[in-house]
Amino acid sequence: MKKVLITGAAGFLGSHLCDRFIKEGFHVIGMDNLITGDLKNIAHLFPLERFEFHHHDVSTFVHLEGKLDYILHFASPASPIDYLKIPIETLKVGSLGTLNLLGLAKQKNARILVASTSEVYGDPLVHPQNEEYYGNVSPIGPRGVYDEAKRFMESITMAYHRYHGLETRIVRIFNTYGTRMRLNDGRVVPAFMGQALRGEDLTVFGDGSQTRSFCYIDDQVEGIYRLLFSDYAEPVNIGNPHETTIKEFAEEIIALTGTDQKIIYKPLPKDDPLQRQPDITRAKEILGWEPKVSRSDGLKIVYDYFKSLSPEELQRKEHRNFTS
């Protein structure tokens, strides 16, 4: 039986990846320090013999007994509300954590896929963003702790690939949404839905003309899965190229939820990207992948999920008491 280590296993994306690899017949080792992840996301896997969980911070030395075939490195805060609170941990997991897992992959002769992000493009001067674009990132801005951690992740991964001949894969993930997102996550899908469910006005930062492209979780997982088993080592964008403005998206959420809240506008945070749309030509050509789930269908599923949360979960503002 093939063994896969998935870091960030108790997070939104990591937990869905655990499900997929269990479904595909793998022995899954989940690892998470639970600073932003939640065990409830993987609680349904604990009774399974083919699943094991390690409560561990990959920024420190990572050791596992026995053989290991694949590593998926998804450990990292992924929303501004998190990585602005824990900037040092964010930098450490992208740098030291990646270094530790590349070392483990080399020791075990395992193939490793690392989770990069569309944020490596920063506030882009090229639209849509393709993998050849080097980005427009401020290394000392407040968002730089996440953006530069991921850019370093890509650099050291390619260095291990070129110098050690390690089998590596790099996925650049664009805005993804789905069940198990936290309502207080800070990203726009749960933020708008949480506000709508609580009867609050929807908060748009800036004038709402900035764009995003939203990929449903099942499509994202399928793209990652195909990339892992491809023969391609360069970065690949995985996202949905269907672009919308944030103002249009807020109106979409109001229509979906049947609420009559107003849209209120606040200043745009520093270095917040004005455009985000993936060029997925490479994913289509190399992986035969493109998204299948429409935004309207995906949002209905997520809205039903958020509606099922308890009143306590709906009102919760803080996820963890962060300490650096």
Side-chain angles (χ1 to χ4, degrees), residues 123-229:
D123 187 7
L125 305 176
V126 168
H127 193 73
Q129 295 82 59
N130 63 46
E131 293 89 347
E132 304 301 321
Y133 178 50
Y134 294 152
N136 177 38
V137 176
S138 167
I140 60 169
R143 298 173 67 99
V145 297
Y146 183 67
D147 304 356
E148 293 295 348
K150 294 296 190 179
R151 286 162 72 93
F152 176 85
M153 167 189 275
E154 291 195 11
S155 294
I156 196 168
T157 297
M158 289 307 298
Y160 264 73
H161 172 71
R162 294 181 179 123
Y163 187 78
H164 292 298
L166 192 65
E167 285 199 36
T168 61
R169 306 290 181 265
I170 300 171
V171 58
R172 286 182 182 159
I173 297 168
F174 280 69
N175 297 75
T176 301
Y177 69 99
T179 58
R180 302 179 192 158
M181 293 189 92
R182 295 191 343 249
L183 271 178
N184 64 329
D185 174 286
R187 287 178 281 194
V188 68
V189 173
F192 280 174
M193 287 197 177
Q195 289 175 325
L197 285 166
R198 289 190 295 266
E200 301 166 1
D201 292 331
L202 271 60
T203 305
V204 168
F205 294 96
D207 63 6
S209 64
Q210 69 270 38
T211 69
R212 294 294 183 268
S213 308
F214 299 103
C215 185
Y216 186 63
I217 183 65
D218 290 359
D219 286 332
Q220 183 64 237
V221 166
E222 177 65 25
I224 292 165
Y225 190 83
R226 291 191 190 194
L227 177 59
L228 177 67
F229 295 106

Side-chain angles (χ1 to χ4, degrees), residues 4-19 28-34 36-46 51-54 56 58 72-76 180:
V4 58
L5 167 65
I6 300 174
T7 72
F12 161 53
L13 252 172
S15 65
H16 283 280
L17 285 165
C18 288
D19 287 346
V28 175
I29 304 166
M31 188 172 285
D32 204 302
N33 67 355
L34 302 178
T36 59
D38 196 319
L39 284 179
K40 73 176 185 180
N41 291 334
I42 50 173
H44 59 288
L45 299 176
F46 277 82
F51 181 77
E52 58 184 279
F53 178 73
H54 296 246
H56 183 73
V58 298
L72 283 82
H73 179 25
F74 280 73
S76 176
R180 302 179 192 158

